[in-house]
mmCIF file with all atom_site columns, all heavy atoms in Angstrom:
data_model
loop_
_atom_site.group_PDB
_atom_site.id
_atom_site.type_symbol
_atom_site.label_atom_id
_atom_site.label_alt_id
_atom_site.label_comp_id
_atom_site.label_asym_id
_atom_site.label_entity_id
_atom_site.label_seq_id
_atom_site.pdbx_PDB_ins_code
_atom_site.Cartn_x
_atom_site.Cartn_y
_atom_site.Cartn_z
_atom_site.occupancy
_atom_site.B_iso_or_equiv
_atom_site.pdbx_formal_charge
_atom_site.auth_seq_id
_atom_site.auth_comp_id
_atom_site.auth_asym_id
_atom_site.auth_atom_id
_atom_site.pdbx_PDB_model_num
ATOM 1   N N   . HIS Y 1 64 ? -23.971 102.590 -11.002 1.00 91.00 ? 64 HIS Y N   1
ATOM 2   C CA  . HIS Y 1 64 ? -23.918 103.762 -11.832 1.00 91.00 ? 64 HIS Y CA  1
ATOM 3   C C   . HIS Y 1 64 ? -24.148 103.400 -13.321 1.00 91.00 ? 64 HIS Y C   1
ATOM 4   O O   . HIS Y 1 64 ? -23.894 104.152 -14.249 1.00 91.00 ? 64 HIS Y O   1
ATOM 5   C CB  . HIS Y 1 64 ? -22.593 104.527 -11.728 1.00 91.00 ? 64 HIS Y CB  1
ATOM 6   C CG  . HIS Y 1 64 ? -22.493 105.219 -10.412 1.00 91.00 ? 64 HIS Y CG  1
ATOM 7   N ND1 . HIS Y 1 64 ? -22.059 104.653 -9.261  1.00 91.00 ? 64 HIS Y ND1 1
ATOM 8   C CD2 . HIS Y 1 64 ? -22.810 106.490 -10.101 1.00 91.00 ? 64 HIS Y CD2 1
ATOM 9   C CE1 . HIS Y 1 64 ? -22.100 105.532 -8.275  1.00 91.00 ? 64 HIS Y CE1 1
ATOM 10  N NE2 . HIS Y 1 64 ? -22.551 106.700 -8.727  1.00 91.00 ? 64 HIS Y NE2 1
ATOM 11  N N   . GLY Y 1 65 ? -24.667 102.210 -13.530 1.00 90.00 ? 65 GLY Y N   1
ATOM 12  C CA  . GLY Y 1 65 ? -25.044 101.709 -14.810 1.00 90.00 ? 65 GLY Y CA  1
ATOM 13  C C   . GLY Y 1 65 ? -23.914 101.201 -15.726 1.00 90.00 ? 65 GLY Y C   1
ATOM 14  O O   . GLY Y 1 65 ? -24.083 101.033 -16.920 1.00 90.00 ? 65 GLY Y O   1
ATOM 15  N N   . ILE Y 1 66 ? -22.801 100.904 -15.118 1.00 86.00 ? 66 ILE Y N   1
ATOM 16  C CA  . ILE Y 1 66 ? -21.683 100.363 -15.920 1.00 86.00 ? 66 ILE Y CA  1
ATOM 17  C C   . ILE Y 1 66 ? -21.488 98.869  -15.556 1.00 86.00 ? 66 ILE Y C   1
ATOM 18  O O   . ILE Y 1 66 ? -21.288 98.554  -14.430 1.00 86.00 ? 66 ILE Y O   1
ATOM 19  C CB  . ILE Y 1 66 ? -20.323 101.096 -15.634 1.00 86.00 ? 66 ILE Y CB  1
ATOM 20  C CG1 . ILE Y 1 66 ? -20.507 102.555 -16.046 1.00 86.00 ? 66 ILE Y CG1 1
ATOM 21  C CG2 . ILE Y 1 66 ? -19.179 100.473 -16.403 1.00 86.00 ? 66 ILE Y CG2 1
ATOM 22  C CD1 . ILE Y 1 66 ? -19.364 103.460 -15.529 1.00 86.00 ? 66 ILE Y CD1 1
ATOM 23  N N   . ALA Y 1 67 ? -21.626 98.047  -16.556 1.00 84.00 ? 67 ALA Y N   1
ATOM 24  C CA  . ALA Y 1 67 ? -21.461 96.594  -16.319 1.00 84.00 ? 67 ALA Y CA  1
ATOM 25  C C   . ALA Y 1 67 ? -19.959 96.275  -16.236 1.00 84.00 ? 67 ALA Y C   1
ATOM 26  O O   . ALA Y 1 67 ? -19.320 96.072  -17.229 1.00 84.00 ? 67 ALA Y O   1
ATOM 27  C CB  . ALA Y 1 67 ? -22.119 95.791  -17.437 1.00 84.00 ? 67 ALA Y CB  1
ATOM 28  N N   . ALA Y 1 68 ? -19.452 96.366  -15.015 1.00 77.00 ? 68 ALA Y N   1
ATOM 29  C CA  . ALA Y 1 68 ? -17.984 96.327  -14.855 1.00 77.00 ? 68 ALA Y CA  1
ATOM 30  C C   . ALA Y 1 68 ? -17.312 95.090  -15.381 1.00 77.00 ? 68 ALA Y C   1
ATOM 31  O O   . ALA Y 1 68 ? -16.269 95.218  -16.094 1.00 77.00 ? 68 ALA Y O   1
ATOM 32  C CB  . ALA Y 1 68 ? -17.657 96.472  -13.338 1.00 77.00 ? 68 ALA Y CB  1
ATOM 33  N N   . PRO Y 1 69 ? -17.734 93.865  -15.115 1.00 81.00 ? 69 PRO Y N   1
ATOM 34  C CA  . PRO Y 1 69 ? -16.999 92.717  -15.613 1.00 81.00 ? 69 PRO Y CA  1
ATOM 35  C C   . PRO Y 1 69 ? -16.885 92.709  -17.114 1.00 81.00 ? 69 PRO Y C   1
ATOM 36  O O   . PRO Y 1 69 ? -15.822 92.500  -17.701 1.00 81.00 ? 69 PRO Y O   1
ATOM 37  C CB  . PRO Y 1 69 ? -17.780 91.510  -15.137 1.00 81.00 ? 69 PRO Y CB  1
ATOM 38  C CG  . PRO Y 1 69 ? -18.485 91.957  -13.912 1.00 81.00 ? 69 PRO Y CG  1
ATOM 39  C CD  . PRO Y 1 69 ? -18.813 93.409  -14.205 1.00 81.00 ? 69 PRO Y CD  1
ATOM 40  N N   . GLU Y 1 70 ? -17.979 93.072  -17.791 1.00 81.00 ? 70 GLU Y N   1
ATOM 41  C CA  . GLU Y 1 70 ? -17.937 93.103  -19.287 1.00 81.00 ? 70 GLU Y CA  1
ATOM 42  C C   . GLU Y 1 70 ? -17.062 94.269  -19.748 1.00 81.00 ? 70 GLU Y C   1
ATOM 43  O O   . GLU Y 1 70 ? -16.269 94.119  -20.726 1.00 81.00 ? 70 GLU Y O   1
ATOM 44  C CB  . GLU Y 1 70 ? -19.351 93.243  -19.830 1.00 81.00 ? 70 GLU Y CB  1
ATOM 45  C CG  . GLU Y 1 70 ? -20.219 92.016  -19.580 1.00 81.00 ? 70 GLU Y CG  1
ATOM 46  C CD  . GLU Y 1 70 ? -20.845 92.017  -18.200 1.00 81.00 ? 70 GLU Y CD  1
ATOM 47  O OE1 . GLU Y 1 70 ? -20.850 93.039  -17.507 1.00 81.00 ? 70 GLU Y OE1 1
ATOM 48  O OE2 . GLU Y 1 70 ? -21.387 90.964  -17.793 1.00 81.00 ? 70 GLU Y OE2 1
ATOM 49  N N   . ALA Y 1 71 ? -17.175 95.439  -19.100 1.00 82.00 ? 71 ALA Y N   1
ATOM 50  C CA  . ALA Y 1 71 ? -16.396 96.616  -19.512 1.00 82.00 ? 71 ALA Y CA  1
ATOM 51  C C   . ALA Y 1 71 ? -14.911 96.349  -19.333 1.00 82.00 ? 71 ALA Y C   1
ATOM 52  O O   . ALA Y 1 71 ? -14.076 96.739  -20.147 1.00 82.00 ? 71 ALA Y O   1
ATOM 53  C CB  . ALA Y 1 71 ? -16.858 97.831  -18.718 1.00 82.00 ? 71 ALA Y CB  1
ATOM 54  N N   . VAL Y 1 72 ? -14.518 95.649  -18.279 1.00 81.00 ? 72 VAL Y N   1
ATOM 55  C CA  . VAL Y 1 72 ? -13.120 95.300  -18.049 1.00 81.00 ? 72 VAL Y CA  1
ATOM 56  C C   . VAL Y 1 72 ? -12.644 94.395  -19.069 1.00 81.00 ? 72 VAL Y C   1
ATOM 57  O O   . VAL Y 1 72 ? -11.548 94.492  -19.593 1.00 81.00 ? 72 VAL Y O   1
ATOM 58  C CB  . VAL Y 1 72 ? -12.940 94.776  -16.592 1.00 81.00 ? 72 VAL Y CB  1
ATOM 59  C CG1 . VAL Y 1 72 ? -11.523 94.237  -16.444 1.00 81.00 ? 72 VAL Y CG1 1
ATOM 60  C CG2 . VAL Y 1 72 ? -13.266 95.846  -15.560 1.00 81.00 ? 72 VAL Y CG2 1
ATOM 61  N N   . GLU Y 1 73 ? -13.382 93.346  -19.400 1.00 84.00 ? 73 GLU Y N   1
ATOM 62  C CA  . GLU Y 1 73 ? -13.007 92.362  -20.370 1.00 84.00 ? 73 GLU Y CA  1
ATOM 63  C C   . GLU Y 1 73 ? -12.791 92.979  -21.791 1.00 84.00 ? 73 GLU Y C   1
ATOM 64  O O   . GLU Y 1 73 ? -11.942 92.525  -22.533 1.00 84.00 ? 73 GLU Y O   1
ATOM 65  C CB  . GLU Y 1 73 ? -13.992 91.201  -20.468 1.00 84.00 ? 73 GLU Y CB  1
ATOM 66  C CG  . GLU Y 1 73 ? -14.054 90.366  -19.264 1.00 84.00 ? 73 GLU Y CG  1
ATOM 67  C CD  . GLU Y 1 73 ? -12.737 89.616  -19.008 1.00 84.00 ? 73 GLU Y CD  1
ATOM 68  O OE1 . GLU Y 1 73 ? -12.089 89.146  -19.976 1.00 84.00 ? 73 GLU Y OE1 1
ATOM 69  O OE2 . GLU Y 1 73 ? -12.381 89.453  -17.842 1.00 84.00 ? 73 GLU Y OE2 1
ATOM 70  N N   . GLN Y 1 74 ? -13.610 93.951  -22.076 1.00 87.00 ? 74 GLN Y N   1
ATOM 71  C CA  . GLN Y 1 74 ? -13.565 94.590  -23.436 1.00 87.00 ? 74 GLN Y CA  1
ATOM 72  C C   . GLN Y 1 74 ? -12.629 95.758  -23.480 1.00 87.00 ? 74 GLN Y C   1
ATOM 73  O O   . GLN Y 1 74 ? -12.406 96.284  -24.603 1.00 87.00 ? 74 GLN Y O   1
ATOM 74  C CB  . GLN Y 1 74 ? -14.979 95.015  -23.810 1.00 87.00 ? 74 GLN Y CB  1
ATOM 75  C CG  . GLN Y 1 74 ? -15.945 93.812  -23.956 1.00 87.00 ? 74 GLN Y CG  1
ATOM 76  C CD  . GLN Y 1 74 ? -17.403 94.276  -24.075 1.00 87.00 ? 74 GLN Y CD  1
ATOM 77  O OE1 . GLN Y 1 74 ? -17.691 95.490  -24.108 1.00 87.00 ? 74 GLN Y OE1 1
ATOM 78  N NE2 . GLN Y 1 74 ? -18.281 93.328  -24.174 1.00 87.00 ? 74 GLN Y NE2 1
ATOM 79  N N   . PHE Y 1 75 ? -12.053 96.202  -22.359 1.00 88.00 ? 75 PHE Y N   1
ATOM 80  C CA  . PHE Y 1 75 ? -11.235 97.412  -22.346 1.00 88.00 ? 75 PHE Y CA  1
ATOM 81  C C   . PHE Y 1 75 ? -9.923  97.112  -23.088 1.00 88.00 ? 75 PHE Y C   1
ATOM 82  O O   . PHE Y 1 75 ? -9.244  96.110  -22.842 1.00 88.00 ? 75 PHE Y O   1
ATOM 83  C CB  . PHE Y 1 75 ? -10.928 97.781  -20.871 1.00 88.00 ? 75 PHE Y CB  1
ATOM 84  C CG  . PHE Y 1 75 ? -10.077 98.977  -20.779 1.00 88.00 ? 75 PHE Y CG  1
ATOM 85  C CD1 . PHE Y 1 75 ? -10.606 100.275 -21.018 1.00 88.00 ? 75 PHE Y CD1 1
ATOM 86  C CD2 . PHE Y 1 75 ? -8.772  98.851  -20.449 1.00 88.00 ? 75 PHE Y CD2 1
ATOM 87  C CE1 . PHE Y 1 75 ? -9.780  101.409 -20.842 1.00 88.00 ? 75 PHE Y CE1 1
ATOM 88  C CE2 . PHE Y 1 75 ? -7.931  99.996  -20.291 1.00 88.00 ? 75 PHE Y CE2 1
ATOM 89  C CZ  . PHE Y 1 75 ? -8.463  101.260 -20.525 1.00 88.00 ? 75 PHE Y CZ  1
ATOM 90  N N   . GLU Y 1 76 ? -9.520  98.106  -23.907 1.00 91.00 ? 76 GLU Y N   1
ATOM 91  C CA  . GLU Y 1 76 ? -8.256  98.093  -24.608 1.00 91.00 ? 76 GLU Y CA  1
ATOM 92  C C   . GLU Y 1 76 ? -7.444  99.283  -24.175 1.00 91.00 ? 76 GLU Y C   1
ATOM 93  O O   . GLU Y 1 76 ? -7.842  100.410 -24.505 1.00 91.00 ? 76 GLU Y O   1
ATOM 94  C CB  . GLU Y 1 76 ? -8.449  98.073  -26.181 1.00 91.00 ? 76 GLU Y CB  1
ATOM 95  C CG  . GLU Y 1 76 ? -9.090  96.904  -26.704 1.00 91.00 ? 76 GLU Y CG  1
ATOM 96  C CD  . GLU Y 1 76 ? -8.130  95.642  -26.700 1.00 91.00 ? 76 GLU Y CD  1
ATOM 97  O OE1 . GLU Y 1 76 ? -6.879  95.864  -26.746 1.00 91.00 ? 76 GLU Y OE1 1
ATOM 98  O OE2 . GLU Y 1 76 ? -8.629  94.536  -26.678 1.00 91.00 ? 76 GLU Y OE2 1
ATOM 99  N N   . PRO Y 1 77 ? -6.323  99.058  -23.398 1.00 91.00 ? 77 PRO Y N   1
ATOM 100 C CA  . PRO Y 1 77 ? -5.613  100.239 -23.006 1.00 91.00 ? 77 PRO Y CA  1
ATOM 101 C C   . PRO Y 1 77 ? -4.949  100.939 -24.121 1.00 91.00 ? 77 PRO Y C   1
ATOM 102 O O   . PRO Y 1 77 ? -4.461  100.310 -25.102 1.00 91.00 ? 77 PRO Y O   1
ATOM 103 C CB  . PRO Y 1 77 ? -4.526  99.635  -21.995 1.00 91.00 ? 77 PRO Y CB  1
ATOM 104 C CG  . PRO Y 1 77 ? -4.465  98.186  -22.377 1.00 91.00 ? 77 PRO Y CG  1
ATOM 105 C CD  . PRO Y 1 77 ? -5.778  97.800  -22.980 1.00 91.00 ? 77 PRO Y CD  1
ATOM 106 N N   . ASP Y 1 78 ? -4.817  102.271 -23.991 1.00 94.00 ? 78 ASP Y N   1
ATOM 107 C CA  . ASP Y 1 78 ? -4.128  103.055 -25.038 1.00 94.00 ? 78 ASP Y CA  1
ATOM 108 C C   . ASP Y 1 78 ? -2.659  102.939 -24.798 1.00 94.00 ? 78 ASP Y C   1
ATOM 109 O O   . ASP Y 1 78 ? -2.181  102.359 -23.827 1.00 94.00 ? 78 ASP Y O   1
ATOM 110 C CB  . ASP Y 1 78 ? -4.605  104.510 -25.095 1.00 94.00 ? 78 ASP Y CB  1
ATOM 111 C CG  . ASP Y 1 78 ? -4.334  105.278 -23.762 1.00 94.00 ? 78 ASP Y CG  1
ATOM 112 O OD1 . ASP Y 1 78 ? -3.465  104.780 -22.945 1.00 94.00 ? 78 ASP Y OD1 1
ATOM 113 O OD2 . ASP Y 1 78 ? -4.884  106.352 -23.621 1.00 94.00 ? 78 ASP Y OD2 1
#
Side-chain angles (χ1 to χ4, degrees):
H64 288 84
I66 299 171
E70 294 83 12
V72 170
E73 291 297 323
Q74 296 169 1
F75 180 77
E76 290 290 332
D78 63 15

